[in-house]
Amino acid sequence: MRVRNKPWAKEKVLAHPEFVVENPTAYKGKWQERFSKNQPLHIEVGSGKGQFIVGMAKQNPSINYVAVEIEINVLVSILEKQIEEQLPNLQILHANGAALTEYFEVGEVDLVYLNFSDPWPKKRHAKRRLTSPQFLETYETILVPGGEIHFKTDNRGLFEYSLVSFSTYGMRLKEVSLDLHQDDCPENIMTEYEEKFSAKGQPIYRVETAYIN
């Protein structure tokens, strides 16, 4: 996806330190200080324009959420939604999802969401997939024992790869859907990509998986 440059994005982000964390290492082990209540912490790695995580934060006020997004021209869309909503249980992290162990303490996170991640289809790029063993090890470090990953994609190849990756790593597959919108899932919050692809009749694949203590 080609991202349109927004020259004003950096200035806007810096103007809202109450919502956007630019120095994430300072909050390692202290993320609850960013919220009004101490509650379970869920993060989305690669939040895009934020429709999913903003919707989740509105739907689940008893959970704290962190949107992780590296591209500032995209992140500013999350910020604009949060400025409008003023959700006390949502924070935005401007950072690289590959370095999560630098930003979150061991066992600080309860659940990780991965939505419509870049499939990196070429075999030589497999390590860049957010469901590769290297990333699974990172998530395991910051998650509580038995913590979960919820993964959605429209890419069947990436989904099949991910199921194998989860299983090979020793994780437990809890729920698997090969066509999410045909299943009964009334609480599903769609991402922008999900709306686009599902409108074209593309099945959406989803899995909930958990680490085994």
Side-chain angles (χ1 to χ4, degrees):
M1 178 185 69
R2 186 172 183 178
V3 179
R4 181 170 63 89
N5 183 49
K6 300 175 181 177
W8 46 268
K10 182 67 173 180
E11 182 178 355
K12 187 159 189 173
V13 166
L14 292 176
H16 290 279
E18 75 277 20
F19 294 137
V20 184
V21 178
E22 286 279 308
N23 58 332
T25 56
Y27 288 96
K28 184 176 181 178
K30 305 175 182 178
W31 275 95
Q32 295 296 341
E33 296 178 4
R34 296 284 305 188
F35 300 95
S36 60
K37 295 181 182 178
N38 191 322
Q39 303 180 138
L41 183 62
H42 294 188
I43 71 172
E44 182 187 20
V45 182
S47 293
K49 295 181 179 180
Q51 180 169 295
F52 171 82
I53 200 158
V54 170
M56 290 295 286
K58 290 174 67 176
Q59 182 174 277
N60 303 288
S62 61
I63 297 173
N64 291 332
Y65 292 89
V66 175
V68 182
E69 177 58 50
I70 190 173
E71 176 52 63
I72 196 167
N73 294 300
V74 178
L75 178 149
V76 74
S77 294
I78 313 174
L79 175 59
E80 289 175 334
K81 291 180 176 67
Q82 174 61 329
I83 290 172
E84 179 180 353
E85 298 289 348
Q86 300 284 315
L87 297 166
N89 62 330
L90 174 62
Q91 289 286 303
I92 305 166
L93 171 55
H94 182 211
N96 189 339
L100 294 176
T101 54
E102 296 180 17
Y103 315 137
F104 297 95
E105 188 56 84
V106 173
E108 190 172 13
V109 177
D110 293 273
L111 192 149
V112 172
Y113 298 101
L114 303 174
N115 292 316
F116 298 88
S117 310
D118 192 326
W120 293 106
K122 294 182 179 179
K123 188 174 181 179
R124 68 175 184 273
H125 293 152
K127 290 184 178 180
R128 299 184 185 182
R129 297 170 190 161
L130 294 188
T131 53
S132 70
Q134 292 84 352
F135 278 97
L136 296 184
E137 183 177 1
T138 294
Y139 308 142
E140 184 177 24
T141 299
I142 65 172
L143 280 166
V144 298
E148 298 185 8
I149 295 174
H150 293 184
F151 173 65
K152 287 196 290 187
T153 183
D154 67 304
N155 188 293
R156 186 178 182 91
L158 178 61
F159 190 68
E160 292 174 348
Y161 166 87
S162 300
L163 292 180
V164 172
S165 185
F166 294 144
S167 299
T168 302
Y169 197 84
M171 301 177 71
R172 177 168 58 94
L173 302 181
K174 295 178 60 181
E175 293 187 18
V176 178
S177 174
L178 299 180
D179 196 343
L180 178 62
H181 294 177
Q182 292 300 315
D183 296 339
D184 184 18
C185 191
E187 296 182 355
N188 179 56
I189 300 292
M190 288 199 287
T191 74
E192 290 87 353
Y193 276 119
E194 189 171 351
E195 286 185 341
K196 175 182 176 181
F197 295 138
S198 62
K200 296 179 178 180
Q202 171 67 45
I204 304 301
Y205 309 103
R206 182 178 185 271
V207 60
E208 294 182 8
T209 184
Y211 291 91
I212 298 175
N213 295 344

